[in-house]
């Protein structure tokens, strides 16, 4: 089953004629993703890797029946591109772009939700349903179809862990890179909820980081689901981040540290890895 | 982006939020006609300046200059005080607290207020704090201000003045791409006026392109961090001596964690990000070398970043800068074999993060 | 609220949308220095003035006054022309069409544009029309303007001018609570400028309280409708002779329909709404009586409206105005029994809408 | 089952101390609705018909666990009140208030949707699940529990028809007064969708009016559902409404008239009544 994305998803690549757009279109096609259209304003009529390029998402949806989009456009144009995709009617929007002002995301996320569009990211490696389709930038070869659902705030650290999972003989159902920005489309607890309802997913790996309270909230939800949950938290020794005045302390109320997150998962009965690759060891011993 | 107090006040003024009068001075003699009596305050980007002696009070011009003389050149945290701000003393009847920041969980701006502001704010019990989300998209609605006035227990006129400040602070929050607008104390004066006693402002770094006027404001970065920032490189100097460079913030943090578990201490947090431009890698490595690490721990998991491109940049930087530091290189992913070849004779290859961390600790101790 | 052309232009100007120069005149002599050559246009709130001879062209002041003389006092539809607008003639290269209105189904503003504007707009084939929603909340995004420019096939400079007008028209749509902003033609002049050749503006009546400056603008209402409007009564004069009064727009429409099916014709559409204030009912009934119906058909389904309150108002109005028109009263719902008592001797009771309609038709014919 | 509202729904009345608020609180309580709280700013601590009044929806939800709200506040304050209810977390918001500028509703509706709140109205008689609960202003006594779902754009006309349905020996599952404004929270096709999935509802009555194209869209959906649909359209002889320039003609493309709507329903296999009460006759002959 997997979640959000599968071999039937028809994907648009927004910003397909850019360096990243071209490169990852090739990789997604290689993975078997149905990349049906690209969008770059002014470049309608061209093609990239055999994928037709349109001037707008509306044209792309009209011509191809696309129902999802992945966004590689630079940060200053990301809001425009995201709203265009939402208005054109895609149901899934994966925003890879990093460094988007979060005030833009404060607009994009509720609007997309109002229109029934699920957003992943921004500033994320995207989404992959192993063996089925990829709407993201993860290296293809480290994934193998299986029953481990993966949720992660980071990119390369996820590859590290996914690679270890695969090396250990397991495979993945869907791996969701939710992104590390302050305002994201699909939160960590929401991603957990999705995977907890997926039949293919038998166990769930959460890769967290210091900052924010998403891991603590996810841990609280993990308590209520039946599937085993495994977690790794990066940043135990990270330098204290930018301090958000008194407000920061008031909001986080002692949460947000690696310790707080690790304790939350342990209290929820989840197994917590000390090293990234220890996740694989924990899976094996489960 | 952080702002010195005087600069934050300037922006508050632009949005019509009342702030005390004040003048900036880089030398005692710059103080010619300060508002008197005044508080002379060190302009630094860290907290705790009051305890460090960075705030002094003055009734006369002479006293103000005296205070400036004492504070200028003082060291607070890692910073030397270069400027003071002489600010009108307020006749305060009551100190409130007010801030607007972002609640990640709710994906919405959050207003926090308290009837007790000032120094004690962090010890205010949870239930005395008022928290309410400011709904994005639809804008600030009157119910927020009604609830706030009720919670702060303000009389009608005071409530209307605070409401006005909240409206303007939210306009500032949105208009300036702020991460934090904090007013502490929000001072209710004896004459009934309400003023932003102290203003803290942080603006989203990602929105810098929309606010070119802030691009050159000094930030709390070391000179090397500043150099890296100017080149668009994510780099933080740490206490340790092992130069850690990796790609992706999560992986860089994890590398530091593993190093720590193996008994080492990272001296740098250098995130290469998703770049695959060898010139950029070289620049990053040059920054790293300037931090004079005793060992370099390189951890790359190639996805977008091609491992060979990184290796090429590393090789060029080391050769050009004639530095001879042991490089423990753990490289996985796209083109990892070519990367190993390129680093032949320079780096010590490692298979896993754990092994790389162990080798780095050993290399520092004289090994491997 | 509808706007005379000259008034709409005034509001367009406020939002920076280019419109032709023009002067308003209530007498030919008011024209002193009209832009020449000019079009002298009748100011009426109905369409089709061109065909009715309400637009004439003039090259000299004398011709302009001549035209004004011919048009002023003219009857167009139900209106007598009281004012003309002498407007600069434009040197038009191309006529486009542009409007912003509301799409109920999508719950969003809808932009409609066409490369062929002017008189032919309604015959433009569907596929030559460009339609795109302007997403609420998040504001106008550049993709809308890119798509528009492509569809209209405009060169770069023209596209940027049209984009600018769209941005301003949307600001007007939002800022003035508009239901319709229509520019037809959107004129591309030979010198490259783009101008709103004619401007149509309708503002949401419900937003009147936010725009008190429009409250006194004349509307396309009969004097009796105007009187009703001023009293807050929903009243429309129709062609027939049976005075229909009911509560709720849907029920009033249904009553007119049933009356029609029974062979009668409604002379009024009077919706009492949800009022249960007898004074208000009396006022409504007075308006109804001024329309001089031959029979009155009253149809009330009491929910919020209490039937006895309505009956009381009806009785008082009839008695005070000494009018002796047959009243067919069909009253259901809250307090219907008391209502029937009150109307004893005045009204002819009916059990159903159908029966009431039949009785009304018969009463008119001399029955019942 | 019924839809949206039942005997467990905990309702707030916003504007409870006003004339209408008081009157309808009494009627809703009489009907058995769980009216758990009222809200009128500045009147917290009072009570109306034994229902405690709070200063804000937040206070009301905190104190009572309310999950729905009905709004009687005057039009100029309706947006404020609606957003407050949404932010306080109610899942159902019934907006009775009429004459709200539709530009306000352009903001309210997508925002509520983004936050998972279903809105009914504005300018509507509300919602009643016969025999269970009422969040509205319809006269109680005309309803009887049954299997007829009713969707209507108008108020009193609906009472007329509901009354006829009841007199004919039928009863209602849920009657949804969606409201007659240009921008409403739940559209006619959406209401049809809801009732078509409700087990209690065996047949559906649609009361439409001239103007807009909601009836035509509803008719198209009616074709795809298995339950018999009955329709009445008011306004066959109504004076032509305000003409929205050329745009009006372009948008409606010949739709919007009573004829167009009647034909659409007939084409969808629905029975269309000529008189309001004929709906009852059609139900009986079905």
């Amino acid at each position: 089953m997997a979640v959000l994305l599968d071999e039937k998803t028809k994907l648009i690549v927004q910003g397909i004629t850019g360096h990243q757009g071209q490169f990852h279109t090739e990789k997604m096609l290689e993975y078997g993703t149905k990349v049906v259209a690209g969008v770059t304003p002014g470049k309608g009529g061209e093609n990239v890797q055999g994928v037709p390029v349109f001037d707008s998402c509306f044209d792309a949806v009209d011509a191809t029946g696309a129902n999802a989009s992945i966004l590689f456009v630079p940060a200053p144009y990301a809001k425009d591109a995201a709203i265009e995709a939402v208005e054109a009617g895609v149901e899934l929007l994966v925003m890879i772009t990093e460094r988007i002002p979060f005030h833009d995301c404060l607009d994009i996320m509720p609007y997309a939700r109002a229109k029934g569009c699920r957003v992943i990211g921004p500033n994320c490696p995207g989404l992959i349903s192993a063996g089925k389709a990829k709407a993201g930038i993860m290296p293809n070869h480290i994934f193998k179809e299986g029953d481990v659902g993966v949720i992660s705030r980071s990119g390369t650290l996820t590859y590290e862990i996914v690679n270890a999972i695969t090396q250990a003989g397991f495979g993945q159902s869907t791996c969701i890179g939710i992104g590390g920005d302050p305002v994201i489309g699909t939160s960590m607890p929401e991603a957990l909820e999705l995977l907890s309802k997926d039949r293919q997913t038998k166990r769930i790996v959460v890769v967290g980081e210091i900052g924010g309270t998403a891991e603590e909230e996810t841990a609280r939800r993990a308590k209520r689901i039946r599937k085993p949950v495994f977690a790794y938290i990066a940043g135990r020794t990270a330098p204290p981040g930018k301090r958000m005045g008194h407000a920061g302390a008031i909001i986080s109320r002692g949460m947000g540290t690696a310790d707080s997150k690790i304790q939350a998962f342990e209290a929820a009965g989840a197994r917590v890895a000390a090293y990234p690759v220890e996740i694989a060891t924990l899976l094996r011993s489960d | 982006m952080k702002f010195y107090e005087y600069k934050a006040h300037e922006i508050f003024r632009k949005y019509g939020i009342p702030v005390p009068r004040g003048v900036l001075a880089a030398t005692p003699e710059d103080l010619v006609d300060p508002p008197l009596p005044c508080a002379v305050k060190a302009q630094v980007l860290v907290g705790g300046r009051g305890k460090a002696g960075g705030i002094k009070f003055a009734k006369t011009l002479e006293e103000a200059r005296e205070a400036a003389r004492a504070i200028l050149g003082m060291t607070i945290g890692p910073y030397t005080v270069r400027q003071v701000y002489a600010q009108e003393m307020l006749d305060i009847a009551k100190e409130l607290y007010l801030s607007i920041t972002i609640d990640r969980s709710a994906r919405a701006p959050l207003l926090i207020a308290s009837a007790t502001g000032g120094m004690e704010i962090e010890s205010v019990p949870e239930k005395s704090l008022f928290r309410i989300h400011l709904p994005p998209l639809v804008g600030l609605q009157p119910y927020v201000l009604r609830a706030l006035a009720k919670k702060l227990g303000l009389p009608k006129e005071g409530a209307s003045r605070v409401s006005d400040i909240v409206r303007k602070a939210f306009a500032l929050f949105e208009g300036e791409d702020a991460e934090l607008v904090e007013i502490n104390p929000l001072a209710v004066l004896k004459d009934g006026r309400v003023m932003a006693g102290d203003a803290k402002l942080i603006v989203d770094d990602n929105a810098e392109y929309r606010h070119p006027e802030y691009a050159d404001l000094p930030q709390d970065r070391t000179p090397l961090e500043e150099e890296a920032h100017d080149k668009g490189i994510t780099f933080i100097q740490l206490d340790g001596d092992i130069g850690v460079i990796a790609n992706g913030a999560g992986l860089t943090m994890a590398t530091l964690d593993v190093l720590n578990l193996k008994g080492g201490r990272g001296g740098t947090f250098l995130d290469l990000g998703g770049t695959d431009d060898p010139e950029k890698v070289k620049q990053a490595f040059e920054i790293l070398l300037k931090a004079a690490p005793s060992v370099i721990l390189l951890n790359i998991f190639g996805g977008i970043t091609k491992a060979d491109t990184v290796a090429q940049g590393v090789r060029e930087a080391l050769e050009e800068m004639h530095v001879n530091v042991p490089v423990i290189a753990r490289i996985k992913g796209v083109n990892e074999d070519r990367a190993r070849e390129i680093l032949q004779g320079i780096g010590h290859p490692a298979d896993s993060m754990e092994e790389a961390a162990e080798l780095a600790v050993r290399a520092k101790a004289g090994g491997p």
Side-chain angles (χ1 to χ4, degrees), chain A, chain B:
Chain A
M1 236 172 74
V3 298
L4 298 173
L5 178 75
D6 63 22
E7 61 278 14
K8 279 171 288 188
T9 305
K10 290 179 170 183
L11 190 69
I12 296 172
V13 177
Q14 287 179 270
I16 194 171
T17 55
H19 179 63
Q20 283 208 18
Q22 292 195 27
F23 179 77
H24 290 293
T25 295
E26 185 183 344
K27 299 296 173 199
M28 289 189 286
L29 286 168
E30 277 174 22
Y31 201 73
T33 312
K34 274 208 184 114
V35 181
V36 296
V39 169
T40 300
K43 305 222 168 161
E46 300 186 4
N47 86 75
V48 169
Q49 309 280 342
V51 174
V53 179
F54 297 89
D55 283 325
S56 78
C57 287
F58 295 93
D59 292 349
V61 168
D62 280 352
T64 66
N67 59 358
S69 184
I70 183 167
L71 203 147
F72 287 101
V73 307
Y77 313 107
K79 181 178 174 185
D80 180 28
I83 301 295
E84 184 186 344
V86 169
E87 286 287 301
V90 305
E91 291 151 21
L92 173 70
L93 175 64
V94 179
M95 298 176 68
I96 303 299
T97 310
E98 55 181 16
R99 297 189 60 82
I100 300 176
F102 75 85
H103 278 271
D104 286 358
C105 293
L106 279 178
D107 285 0
I108 297 168
M109 302 315 165
Y111 190 72
R113 203 162 276 229
K115 303 281 281 188
C117 175
R118 156 82 61 182
V119 180
I120 304 290
N123 187 15
C124 79
L127 192 64
I128 184 166
S129 289
K132 300 186 180 76
K134 180 176 86 164
I137 60 172
M138 307 90 151
N140 294 351
H141 68 278
I142 59 173
F143 291 90
K144 196 182 81 180
E145 193 160 358
D147 64 7
V148 184
V150 181
I151 303 165
S152 172
R153 272 171 74 178
S154 63
T156 43
L157 176 57
T158 316
Y159 312 161
E160 184 81 48
I161 290 173
V162 164
N163 189 54
I165 293 172
T166 302
Q167 296 291 325
F170 295 91
Q172 299 81 31
S173 52
T174 301
C175 172
I176 311 174
I178 61 170
D181 274 8
V183 179
I184 54 178
T186 298
S187 70
M188 191 178 272
E190 286 164 351
L192 184 78
E193 201 74 27
L194 284 170
L195 287 172
S196 75
K197 287 180 189 152
D198 173 44
R199 284 204 208 143
Q200 182 182 336
T201 306
K202 303 293 182 209
R203 59 209 90 201
I204 299 169
V205 168
V206 177
V207 183
E209 280 176 18
I210 49 166
T213 58
E215 287 81 0
E216 285 87 337
E217 290 155 31
T218 306
R220 276 198 294 278
R221 279 210 204 175
K223 215 180 284 187
R224 295 201 305 268
I225 69 168
R226 294 220 189 96
K227 301 174 184 180
V229 172
F230 304 84
Y232 171 74
I233 306 294
R236 294 178 196 227
T237 57
K242 191 160 52 181
R243 210 170 119 67
M244 296 287 283
H246 300 287
I250 294 171
I251 290 183
S252 59
R253 284 164 289 173
M255 294 197 284
T257 64
D259 279 351
S260 148
K261 291 169 193 299
I262 290 167
Q263 279 166 25
F265 275 110
E266 283 173 346
R271 309 281 303 272
V272 181
Y275 295 40
V277 299
E278 201 194 339
I279 285 283
T281 322
L282 296 178
L283 280 173
R284 227 186 272 124
S285 68
D286 185 56
Chain B
M1 289 174 278
K2 291 184 178 176
F3 292 77
Y4 284 112
E5 182 184 22
Y6 79 90
K7 184 71 189 171
H9 275 207
E10 199 178 300
I11 297 164
F12 273 47
R13 263 187 216 108
K14 198 175 112 188
Y15 280 83
I17 301 170
V19 290
R21 286 171 299 138
V23 292
L24 186 70
T27 68
E29 291 66 36
D30 287 351
L31 291 176
V32 176
D33 187 19
L36 291 170
C38 70
V40 180
K41 300 156 99 178
Q43 297 298 290
V44 281
L45 291 170
V46 286
R49 67 184 169 176
K51 284 179 195 149
I55 301 180
K56 295 185 187 300
F57 302 97
K59 283 187 187 141
T60 64
L61 173 61
E62 232 0 275
E63 282 179 30
R65 289 185 169 175
E66 192 56 46
R69 210 163 285 130
I71 295 171
L72 287 164
M74 180 184 272
T75 301
I76 300 179
Y79 305 105
T80 304
V81 180
R82 305 262 174 238
Q83 290 172 312
V84 293
Y85 191 56
Q87 182 185 290
E88 149 190 34
M89 292 285 284
L90 299 176
D91 211 4
I92 296 178
K94 191 172 165 57
E95 294 192 328
L96 314 173
Y97 172 86
L98 186 76
S99 67
I100 302 175
T101 178
I102 177 82
D103 181 350
R104 291 163 171 246
S105 305
R107 302 181 187 89
L110 179 70
L111 172 78
I112 303 177
S114 164
T116 321
M119 308 292 266
E120 299 111 279
I121 180 63
E122 292 193 29
S123 58
V124 164
E126 179 59 30
K127 68 182 178 58
S128 302
L129 289 174
F130 174 66
R131 299 160 185 272
I132 194 166
H133 290 113
L134 305 177
L137 295 173
V138 292
L140 189 59
Q141 300 296 315
Y143 73 84
V144 169
L145 304 171
R146 285 196 303 269
L148 175 67
K150 186 183 172 193
K151 184 73 181 195
L152 295 182
L154 293 170
K156 202 169 173 190
E157 203 195 350
S160 117
R161 281 175 165 155
V162 168
S163 290
D164 186 54
I165 289 176
V166 170
R167 262 192 223 99
K168 288 166 174 170
F170 188 53
L172 190 162
F173 185 76
E174 296 210 307
E176 303 297 316
D177 280 297
E179 278 177 35
L180 173 72
V181 175
E182 186 171 63
I183 305 176
N184 185 33
L186 176 62
V188 181
L189 306 190
K190 292 204 175 120
D191 63 9
R193 285 181 302 154
V194 180
M195 241 180 214
D198 193 359
K200 187 164 263 154
L201 175 63
I202 304 179
V203 165
D204 183 4
D205 287 337
N206 289 346
E208 207 179 292
Y209 72 91
R210 289 204 279 237
H211 305 281
E213 69 277 19
Y214 300 151
D216 295 329
L217 290 183
Q219 295 298 315
D220 53 346
R221 288 190 273 260
T222 66
L224 205 49
E225 286 171 357
E226 193 63 39
E227 187 186 334
H229 177 79
D230 290 345
K231 291 179 173 156
I233 295 165
T234 306
F235 171 78
I236 300 165
Q237 276 183 294
L238 306 175
D239 293 339
D241 57 342
I242 298 177
V244 171
I245 175 167
N247 62 331
L251 188 62
T252 313
M253 276 198 281
T255 308
L256 283 163
D257 290 351
V258 171
L259 182 63
N260 194 63
L261 285 169
K262 297 296 178 189
R265 291 191 70 197
T268 67
F269 174 101
L270 204 168
D271 171 14
L272 270 180
T275 188
D276 55 357
D277 172 0
E279 187 53 34
K280 200 93 191 199
V281 174
K282 202 178 111 189
Q283 283 181 359
F285 225 77
E286 281 165 9
I287 295 280
L288 180 63
L289 290 168
K290 284 187 190 167
S294 58
V295 187
I296 289 172
L297 169 51
L298 172 71
N299 186 18
I300 300 295
F301 202 110
I304 309 184
T305 317
K306 291 178 203 81
D308 56 341
T309 313
V310 176
Q312 192 58 42
V314 170
R315 181 174 194 110
E316 284 172 20
L318 285 174
E319 284 174 356
E320 280 176 31
M321 297 186 74
H322 306 290
V323 182
N324 200 3
V325 186
V327 178
I328 315 298
R330 187 270 180 153
I331 296 188
K332 289 286 283 184
V334 178
N335 302 345
E336 61 179 81
D337 293 341
R338 257 191 62 73
R340 289 218 182 93
E341 270 169 42
I342 291 167
L343 289 181
Q344 199 91 44
I346 297 175
H348 305 273
D351 268 345
S352 69
M353 277 172 75
E354 294 73 22
E355 189 194 340
E358 274 168 20
L359 287 175
V361 173
R362 234 186 291 155
K364 187 197 144 191

